[in-house]
Each structure stands twice: as structure tokens, then as C-alpha cells.
Amino acid sequence: MILPSIKGTLFLVTSIVSHLAALPTNVINKCPQPSELNPVPPFFIYGHPEDCQQFFLCVFGTPYLMSCPATTSFSELLGVCVDRYSPQDICAQENAVRECSRGASLLAHPQLCHRFYNCSLVVETSSILGRYQDECPYPQYFDTLEKVCKPYSEVSCLDRLEVKDKCEYSKAYECTDVEHCEDCQAVFPSCQGLTDGIYKLLSFHMDLSRDF
């Protein structure tokens, strides 16, 4: 990770202001403002809403535009510049559609561990999940380092949600005969809260000769 200029002295900060771009008119000023009780606002930086490489440095309540080095993005969560498309690059993941147009290939979903963004997908084919979104086969998760789906026991999801039931995977149960489809929970009941073992399937009336 690359640390932007965030801990310099007041002299250093004020000396670089003349080299910084002022706040664009379409960006909200999020800087803490000076007041009588607090004439020197606390240090604050925040990311650009449309460009992952840029961020704003607050100086006495005024934001100034700064940029991370090439091939890096600003992480508002960490307050530093990180490698672009790395697991720490939350900005790229949250703005996957934009980042796909800039050359990204595979990106982890920022909230769901079993989903990811595949920039090579035709938009129409992924409309069920969202633009460019795809899903690992159950019960796999997406590995952010290797950028592949792997068994759930081999993936560290960190803050991403780990869904456990097959019915929580949108593409795991696809019934082509809509008039005779059983509810997913009736076909694949949840094992959450149960100890390891075999349990009786209470409801199962499907014709197994049909394709699903």
C-alpha cells in the first residue's frame, strides 16, 4: 500500500496547496469546517466519486484534488492508495461497471463472497444478477487473490457475506417448467442450525425425469 501525503506538518500541507486542483463544481465538500471552538479542523481526506485514482485533501475546510500514483486507487476505508483491482481496492469493486470499461477483467463483489464481476460477460446474459455480475457454483466462493471460484473452506471472505444455503445462490436452482416448479426451499432445505448428519426430506414431489 502507498501512503498519500496525509501526515505532513501544517507547513508541508499549506506549501502544496498551490499545486493542487480546486474542488470540481459537481463534487460535494465533505471537509470539516473551521469554527470558533475548533479553528483548525481535524485532518480529513475522501475519495473522488467518479475516479478511483483521485481523492480530496482538506485544508482549513477546503478540499483540494490529489491523485494516487499510476496503477493505484484511493481506498477511502483505509485512507491510503492501494494497488488497483487488489482485494483492498473497494472503489473499483463498487464501481465495477465503470472499471470494466477501463480494462478490468474479474472483480470480487464488495458485499457477497459467492459473487463476482466478469467484465467479459454480455450484459443481457447477467441481467438476473446485475450488470457484469456472475456467481460461483454452489458451494464455492470467489477468491480475490487468485480471481477464481474455489471451495468455501479455501477462501477468506473477510467482510463479504458468506451465504450458506443453496437457495441463497440465485443460479443454483433453475427450473424450466414454471407451472410445476417446487419452491427452492422444498427441494434444497436449509441445514443452518442443524448438526452434521442426514435428515428426512419432508417435501419432495418433483418428477425427476424432467430437466432442471
Side-chain angles (χ1 to χ4, degrees):
M1 294 185 294
I2 302 172
L3 188 68
S5 301
I6 61 175
K7 290 187 177 180
T9 62
L10 182 60
F11 173 78
L12 175 61
V13 171
T14 54
S15 67
I16 65 175
V17 167
S18 61
H19 301 288
L20 304 178
L23 180 72
T25 57
N26 62 334
V27 176
I28 298 175
N29 183 352
K30 298 182 180 180
C31 294
Q33 297 299 304
S35 64
E36 292 184 5
L37 296 178
N38 189 19
V40 180
F43 169 81
F44 191 72
I45 52 178
Y46 61 98
H48 193 290
E50 297 180 357
D51 191 328
C52 290
Q53 188 176 348
Q54 296 183 324
F55 63 96
F56 293 98
L57 168 68
C58 296
V59 179
F60 289 105
T62 300
Y64 292 89
L65 184 63
M66 299 188 72
S67 183
C68 290
T71 74
T72 67
S73 296
F74 178 73
S75 170
E76 197 164 70
L77 178 64
L78 300 175
V80 296
C81 298
V82 299
D83 291 333
R84 188 171 298 165
Y85 310 136
S86 68
Q88 293 78 28
D89 187 2
I90 303 300
C91 179
Q93 297 171 31
E94 292 179 342
N95 298 279
V97 173
R98 184 186 67 213
E99 296 306 316
C100 281
S101 67
R102 295 181 175 179
S105 55
L106 295 173
L107 297 166
H109 192 284
Q111 283 89 35
L112 303 174
C113 197
H114 66 297
R115 290 190 186 179
F116 60 96
Y117 293 94
N118 184 349
C119 295
S120 65
L121 280 180
V122 178
V123 174
E124 288 76 9
T125 64
S126 58
S127 58
I128 296 177
L129 303 178
R131 192 174 186 186
Y132 295 120
Q133 284 195 52
D134 206 348
E135 187 175 73
C136 293
Y138 179 81
Q140 297 182 6
Y141 291 150
F142 186 76
D143 188 292
T144 58
L145 296 177
E146 298 184 28
K147 298 187 184 300
V148 294
C149 293
K150 299 173 62 176
Y152 67 90
S153 59
E154 300 177 12
V155 176
S156 175
C157 292
L158 300 178
D159 294 331
R160 294 178 296 156
L161 178 65
E162 302 177 38
V163 299
K164 303 183 184 302
D165 293 342
K166 189 168 186 175
C167 293
E168 294 180 291
Y169 281 66
S170 299
K171 298 168 61 177
Y173 173 53
E174 297 180 355
C175 180
T176 58
D177 189 352
V178 179
E179 294 183 359
H180 300 91
C181 286
E182 294 243 9
D183 181 75
C184 183
Q185 291 291 345
V187 182
F188 303 108
S190 173
C191 283
Q192 293 195 54
L194 302 177
T195 57
D196 292 346
I198 299 175
Y199 292 82
K200 181 179 179 180
L201 188 58
L202 299 178
S203 175
F204 193 78
H205 307 294
M206 293 194 306
D207 180 0
L208 296 181
S209 65
R210 292 189 290 111
D211 294 328
F212 292 91

